[in-house]
Amino acid sequence: MSDKPLKVALLGCGVVGSQVVKLMREQAGDLAARIGAPLELAGVAVRKLGRKRDVEIDPALVTTDAEGLVARDDVDIVVEVIGGIEPARSLIVSALSGGKSVVTANKALLAEDGATLFEAARQGNGDLYYEASVAGAIPLLRPLRESLAGDHVKRVLGIVNGTTNYILDKMDSTGASFTDALEEAQSLGYAEADPTADVEGFDAAAKAAILASLAFHSRVTAAEVHREGITEITATDVASAKAMGYVIKLLAICAKSDDGRSIGVRVHPAMIPRTHPLAGVREAYNAVFVEAESAGQLMFYGKGAGGAPTASAVLGDIVAVARNRRAGTRGPDESTYADLPVHEMGATVTRCHVALDVADKPGVLARVAEEFAQHDVSIQTVRQEGHGDDAQLVIVTHQATDAALTATMAGLRELDIVRAVASVMRVEGD
Amino acid sequence: MSDKPLKVALLGCGVVGSQVVKLMREQAGDLAARIGAPLELAGVAVRKLGRKRDVEIDPALVTTDAEGLVARDDVDIVVEVIGGIEPARSLIVSALSGGKSVVTANKALLAEDGATLFEAARQGNGDLYYEASVAGAIPLLRPLRESLAGDHVKRVLGIVNGTTNYILDKMDSTGASFTDALEEAQSLGYAEADPTADVEGFDAAAKAAILASLAFHSRVTAAEVHREGITEITATDVASAKAMGYVIKLLAICAKSDDGRSIGVRVHPAMIPRTHPLAGVREAYNAVFVEAESAGQLMFYGKGAGGAPTASAVLGDIVAVARNRRAGTRGPDESTYADLPVHEMGATVTRCHVALDVADKPGVLARVAEEFAQHDVSIQTVRQEGHGDDAQLVIVTHQATDAALTATMAGLRELDIVRAVASVMRVEGD
């Protein structure tokens, strides 16, 4: 055991930051034993001094000069939990360029401009670790990056946003509308006052970009992720899925194309069978399902957010980069050797569940089936519900490209026998 | 990218070994890109030359002289997939002492004499990695060792033996007897001709020892694990659990005592609520549930055995130790700083489900309840079933030490109003 402490600078002291300070303090002995040297808090950069925080910190350690803290020669490890693009990016780049190691939970920044950060880490010869950026406490990035390093990942299918999972789970279990379920999530603190980043899928899309980059050894940014939110999902959609043995989840899906030459990365609501392991993921929990060539199906499940769970992931990374610094080495670099392009959503292969309000007369099914056939989409099951003005055709397709499915829907809308395309939902996981 | 290959010696070429060779060959390009240098097969040690194998290997590489192969100066990494204690131990120690890094899937050896191996790794300054030894392809040891390095694990609760999970799942879903379910498992290749290691819990106990060592930074051997198998479980037990909303699983449980000064490590069948995430683990799948102080509840799920899944874990470790060798560093050492002792099963806190065949007359319940009270065991629920000679009391206790529960059962057997203690099963996971 060395006496010389490793000094940690903390950027941001909100929900996660104060938990990091608390855990560093409470577990000082264990952390020192695991690292081989004690950790010491060098300073905490905050936006405003004197604000009430969840943890008591020696005022001498608190500063508003984040840039100055990051530049200090005695700092070994910088922990960034401010979030957002700037000033987080400049501070991380400055820390890495100065030879420090960085631990961050900043999914938005990694998904928008990870390349700049990884390049700075390479040049400064330090570590950039970010386990907390996806699925909070669930150890996911390290397994993808290291445990599966000898395997080929084919597909990653994940529930990576706790807010939307809470909302959809409530809609499924109570029959509530989206608006009511959102309000409940807000009152319980699972959703923010402005829920856009969650319910429109932006948060999940950033995570999907990070997962796809790691799984396929390529560089994927959030802008390349096809994104659809859950605001249009009705209680009827949920009930109809339920009646068919499905449940609606907001999924982040990263998959290789059949020829292995490109990848599809998308976030959208989808129906999955209730027998699928992801179907049982309730409330605000997260889970990520990974299909690898040799390993087969794997699932990682746990809390995706919250101060303590996220801080647990941050602390795990701090221990790892601290060990690396003591050993004079670095963790694995960004791996982008495969350099696969992201294909358009239209080229993605998926399936659809479609409900059509139709005229209740002979020949309707034939005309509808012909429309599917024209776009090379084959039908797996079709069921007629109701009669007269309530007549509805419920169709589940076989696999087809999203472009063909979209074109089919457009064609159906033009048919005079189709009064309305009542709902369209992709089907995944079977 | 370096041109100088890292040379891999393979000990054993059975189901797992031949998959390792196959994957090393098929994914040579990817592995080289991930490591920064190509891997090269230096040799394969087998017991008998000329045997038919699942993969074609240049006969010049195959040898029966394992000791000679391990001693070769040009070998960097030794992969041991022979299993068992000897000659595996001598070969691994010899490899590590010679400065090589070792990847092994040998749970029995690690659980019996890990200390000798880790010491050899330290002295030789090489790596000893063993992800494949527990839960096959599921990335579990690396997350425990690294991702949760900044957290405190409170409990590990796992289904770590696929054979017994297959048998119990069949009994649960079809009502089959243990014998019939075992026969089906054998005919499908899920159970061996001599199923003792699986059904008596030896395999799970070795894995429990490895998990407990990692989770609690202490050294636990298989001999310290309390072990009970599943051979006594009847179709009636399974049906009775089902009727109460429980399912019977063979669990490996590693938990800290309440005062944090010792650990309990045990393998036995237990009833868990059907709502518990582990209850949904079907067929031969494995899953491990981890409760950590900050991270909360985590679960890892996947295939626990089989050639390709196990080889995936071995390959992941090969990539990791190869990267370490190129960087001139080592992965984390064995961590035993906490040095917690394993307490006796009697000191373990658990709950019990008990079915008593009793005389159907007034005062029976009072007398039975008194017996529980005498041992300080409080009753959560009690239910009478049947009448006359079929009268049965079904009791679920609150938490108590296993010693108190055992003493209670002994006391009940002495009561003349108790015709028989029809079944006793621990209850976990709620």
Side-chain angles (χ1 to χ4, degrees):
Chain A
M1 169 85 70
S2 158
D3 289 336
K4 189 167 172 284
L6 285 152
K7 293 205 171 183
V8 177
L10 182 65
L11 310 181
C13 197
V15 181
V16 177
S18 34
Q19 278 295 323
V20 170
V21 172
K22 202 161 152 268
L23 292 176
M24 270 180 64
R25 199 174 286 162
E26 283 173 8
Q27 308 189 7
D30 283 310
L31 294 169
R34 294 171 194 179
I35 293 164
L39 290 177
E40 187 183 310
L41 193 62
V44 181
V46 299
R47 214 168 336 156
K48 250 187 162 161
L49 294 176
R51 193 176 280 179
K52 175 118 188 76
R53 315 200 180 270
D54 294 344
V55 67
E56 270 196 50
I57 303 173
D58 177 356
L61 291 177
V62 184
T63 175
T64 54
D65 179 16
E67 193 53 64
L69 176 60
V70 157
R72 265 170 55 182
D73 279 342
D74 63 332
V75 167
D76 299 287
I77 300 167
V78 172
V79 176
E80 184 272 312
V81 285
I82 308 173
I85 306 302
E86 285 295 350
R89 174 168 47 198
S90 306
L91 291 167
I92 292 177
V93 168
S94 157
L96 290 168
S97 305
K100 288 143 177 73
S101 293
V102 169
V103 173
T104 175
N106 196 328
K107 57 193 163 276
L109 175 55
L110 281 159
E112 177 167 316
D113 195 13
T116 300
L117 309 188
F118 289 113
E119 184 52 33
R122 224 172 345 251
Q123 289 188 356
N125 203 30
D127 273 328
L128 174 65
Y129 274 52
Y130 50 103
E131 181 68 67
S133 66
V134 181
I138 310 174
L140 180 62
L141 305 192
R142 186 173 276 106
L144 272 179
R145 190 169 63 171
E146 300 176 36
S147 308
L148 292 169
D151 206 332
H152 269 147
V153 174
K154 294 192 292 188
R155 208 155 74 116
V156 178
L157 200 70
I159 295 171
V160 293
N161 181 274
T163 306
T164 47
N165 200 58
Y166 185 88
I167 293 170
L168 292 171
D169 183 40
K170 279 299 136 188
M171 291 175 73
D172 181 70
S173 58
T174 68
S177 70
F178 169 77
T179 315
D180 289 348
L182 170 61
E183 269 174 25
E184 187 186 329
Q186 284 171 321
S187 74
L188 290 168
Y190 286 130
E192 307 201 29
D194 175 359
T196 313
D198 293 316
V199 299
E200 294 294 0
F202 289 101
D203 174 83
K207 292 164 176 169
I210 295 172
L211 288 174
S213 302
L214 281 171
F216 304 117
H217 301 270
S218 299
R219 196 175 277 154
V220 178
T221 64
E224 295 171 288
V225 180
H226 173 86
R227 180 188 50 74
E228 297 171 31
I230 64 163
T231 55
E232 307 287 309
I233 294 173
T234 64
T236 313
D237 292 335
V238 172
S240 157
K242 203 169 185 169
M244 291 180 62
Y246 287 84
V247 57
I248 298 176
K249 296 286 188 188
L250 181 69
L251 297 181
I253 305 174
C254 321
K256 256 195 194 173
S257 61
D258 286 344
D259 66 5
R261 295 209 187 141
S262 63
I263 44 184
V265 191
R266 49 195 166 117
V267 167
H268 58 69
M271 289 170 41
I272 57 172
R274 280 187 187 264
T275 50
H276 193 281
L278 287 177
V281 178
R282 307 286 310 270
E283 308 214 309
Y285 273 89
N286 280 198
V288 176
F289 196 75
V290 177
E291 289 174 34
E293 219 160 276
S294 302
Q297 302 185 329
L298 301 169
M299 191 172 79
F300 304 82
Y301 166 95
K303 283 186 181 152
T310 309
S312 167
V314 168
L315 258 291
D317 277 355
I318 291 178
V319 170
V321 304
R323 282 172 174 164
N324 287 346
R325 285 187 89 79
R326 292 211 356 109
T329 181
R330 299 173 62 209
D333 241 328
E334 184 194 20
S335 172
T336 57
Y337 74 90
D339 201 18
L340 297 172
V342 175
H343 57 243
E344 291 293 312
M345 184 60 192
T348 293
V349 173
T350 179
R351 304 201 299 133
C352 257
H353 169 271
V354 192
L356 301 175
D357 294 339
V358 293
D360 184 17
K361 56 183 182 189
V364 167
L365 178 57
R367 188 61 201 89
V368 164
E370 193 191 320
E371 191 61 37
F372 279 87
Q374 269 177 17
H375 298 281
D376 257 344
V377 176
S378 70
I379 290 174
Q380 186 188 48
T381 61
V382 58
R383 198 173 82 232
Q384 171 152 0
E385 286 181 353
H387 287 291
D389 282 352
D390 284 334
Q392 200 172 55
L393 281 182
V394 178
I395 294 164
V396 180
T397 73
H398 276 297
Q399 289 206 322
T401 63
D402 205 73
L405 292 164
T406 305
T408 310
M409 298 313 124
L412 291 169
R413 284 193 185 91
E414 297 299 310
L415 296 181
D416 53 4
I417 49 160
V418 171
R419 286 176 292 123
V421 177
S423 86
V424 183
M425 180 83 62
R426 297 189 189 86
V427 179
E428 297 285 342
D430 57 0
Chain B
M1 170 83 71
S2 156
D3 288 338
K4 188 167 172 287
L6 284 152
K7 294 204 170 183
V8 177
L10 181 65
L11 310 180
C13 198
V15 181
V16 176
S18 36
Q19 277 295 323
V20 169
V21 173
K22 201 161 153 268
L23 291 177
M24 270 180 64
R25 199 175 287 164
E26 282 174 10
Q27 308 189 8
D30 283 310
L31 293 168
R34 294 171 194 180
I35 293 164
L39 290 177
E40 187 183 310
L41 193 61
V44 181
V46 298
R47 214 165 341 154
K48 248 188 164 161
L49 294 177
R51 193 175 280 179
K52 175 118 189 75
R53 316 202 178 268
D54 294 344
V55 67
E56 270 195 50
I57 303 173
D58 177 357
L61 290 177
V62 184
T63 174
T64 53
D65 178 16
E67 193 54 64
L69 176 60
V70 158
R72 262 169 55 182
D73 279 342
D74 63 331
V75 167
D76 298 287
I77 299 167
V78 172
V79 176
E80 185 271 313
V81 285
I82 308 172
I85 306 301
E86 285 293 351
R89 175 168 47 197
S90 306
L91 291 167
I92 292 176
V93 168
S94 157
L96 290 168
S97 305
K100 287 144 178 72
S101 293
V102 169
V103 173
T104 175
N106 196 327
K107 56 193 165 275
L109 175 56
L110 281 159
E112 178 167 315
D113 196 13
T116 300
L117 309 188
F118 289 114
E119 184 51 32
R122 220 168 355 246
Q123 288 189 356
N125 204 30
D127 273 327
L128 174 65
Y129 274 52
Y130 50 103
E131 181 68 67
S133 66
V134 181
I138 310 175
L140 180 61
L141 305 192
R142 186 172 277 109
L144 272 179
R145 189 169 66 170
E146 300 177 35
S147 307
L148 291 170
D151 206 331
H152 270 145
V153 175
K154 294 192 291 187
R155 208 155 74 115
V156 178
L157 200 71
I159 295 170
V160 293
N161 179 273
T163 306
T164 47
N165 200 58
Y166 185 87
I167 293 171
L168 292 171
D169 184 40
K170 279 298 136 190
M171 291 175 73
D172 182 70
S173 59
T174 68
S177 69
F178 169 77
T179 315
D180 289 348
L182 170 62
E183 268 174 25
E184 187 186 328
Q186 284 171 322
S187 74
L188 290 168
Y190 285 130
E192 308 201 29
D194 174 0
T196 312
D198 293 317
V199 299
E200 294 294 1
F202 289 100
D203 174 83
K207 292 165 178 169
I210 296 172
L211 289 174
S213 303
L214 281 171
F216 303 119
H217 301 271
S218 299
R219 195 175 278 155
V220 179
T221 64
E224 295 172 288
V225 180
H226 174 85
R227 180 190 49 75
E228 298 170 31
I230 64 164
T231 54
E232 306 288 308
I233 294 174
T234 63
T236 313
D237 292 335
V238 173
S240 158
K242 202 169 185 171
M244 292 180 60
Y246 287 84
V247 58
I248 298 176
K249 296 287 188 187
L250 180 69
L251 297 181
I253 306 174
C254 320
K256 258 194 191 172
S257 60
D258 286 344
D259 66 5
R261 294 209 187 138
S262 63
I263 45 183
V265 191
R266 48 192 166 119
V267 167
H268 57 69
M271 289 170 41
I272 57 172
R274 280 188 186 263
T275 50
H276 193 283
L278 287 177
V281 178
R282 306 287 310 272
E283 308 213 309
Y285 272 89
N286 280 200
V288 176
F289 196 74
V290 177
E291 289 174 35
E293 218 160 276
S294 301
Q297 303 186 327
L298 301 169
M299 192 172 79
F300 304 81
Y301 167 96
K303 283 185 182 152
T310 309
S312 166
V314 168
L315 259 290
D317 277 355
I318 292 178
V319 170
V321 304
R323 281 172 174 165
N324 287 345
R325 285 187 89 79
R326 294 218 347 117
T329 182
R330 299 174 61 210
D333 241 328
E334 184 193 20
S335 171
T336 57
Y337 74 89
D339 201 19
L340 297 172
V342 175
H343 58 244
E344 291 293 310
M345 185 60 191
T348 294
V349 173
T350 178
R351 304 199 301 131
C352 257
H353 170 271
V354 192
L356 302 175
D357 293 339
V358 293
D360 185 15
K361 57 184 180 187
V364 167
L365 179 57
R367 188 62 201 88
V368 164
E370 194 191 320
E371 191 61 36
F372 279 87
Q374 270 178 17
H375 299 282
D376 257 346
V377 175
S378 69
I379 290 173
Q380 186 188 48
T381 61
V382 58
R383 198 173 81 233
Q384 171 153 359
E385 286 181 354
H387 288 290
D389 282 352
D390 284 335
Q392 200 171 55
L393 281 182
V394 178
I395 294 164
V396 180
T397 74
H398 277 297
Q399 288 206 324
T401 64
D402 205 72
L405 292 165
T406 304
T408 309
M409 297 314 126
L412 290 170
R413 284 195 183 88
E414 296 301 309
L415 296 182
D416 54 3
I417 49 161
V418 172
R419 287 177 290 124
V421 178
S423 87
V424 183
M425 179 83 62
R426 297 192 189 84
V427 179
E428 298 284 341
D430 55 2

